[in-house]
Amino acid sequence: MNITKTFENGTITLCPEGWLDTASSPELGEVVDAITDATSLVLDFDLVEYMSSAGLRQVIATHKKAKSLGASFSIINVCPTVMSIFKMTNIDKKLDIKAGFNF
């Protein structure tokens, strides 16, 4: 999995690409674990096509990491397929998720 990381004005944006599943979510976890300071943590799902339960667990772990840093957390540019997973699990009611319709 390719993950682009940008840092601007205290905001770290992570842009994973492809499938966020059992094989790729540990890689995202390593990138998240390495973050030591941020005022805001954003997952940009513009290039995420699919997310499994392992990916969902990593999203929750990323949210917990942001909380531990005292940073805000949001997910942006979520495709309808992935948004349906957030809705089925009611995660959309607990996290700041903004849908995008680029697929």
Side-chain angles (χ1 to χ4, degrees), residues 10-67:
T11 298
I12 294 177
T13 303
L14 302 176
C15 302
E17 183 178 332
W19 285 32
L20 187 55
D21 58 11
T22 304
S24 61
S25 60
E27 191 175 337
L28 178 58
E30 289 175 13
V31 173
V32 170
D33 289 345
I35 297 171
T36 58
D37 187 33
T39 57
S40 179
L41 185 54
V42 177
L43 288 178
D44 184 342
F45 272 22
D46 188 43
L47 300 175
V48 174
E49 302 165 3
Y50 169 82
M51 182 177 67
S52 72
S53 59
L56 185 60
R57 281 190 300 277
Q58 186 54 57
V59 167
I60 293 167
T62 304
H63 174 253
K64 288 180 181 179
K65 174 70 174 203
K67 276 180 80 170

Side-chain angles (χ1 to χ4, degrees), residues 57-99:
R57 281 190 300 277
Q58 186 54 57
V59 167
I60 293 167
T62 304
H63 174 253
K64 288 180 181 179
K65 174 70 174 203
K67 276 180 80 170
S68 75
L69 295 171
S72 64
F73 176 76
S74 60
I75 306 167
I76 61 172
N77 298 320
V78 179
C79 73
T81 304
V82 174
M83 184 57 95
S84 68
I85 294 167
F86 287 135
K87 288 183 181 213
M88 278 192 305
T89 58
N90 284 326
I91 296 296
D92 66 315
K93 301 207 183 334
K94 298 177 177 156
L95 301 179
D96 180 20
I97 302 172
K98 296 171 180 66

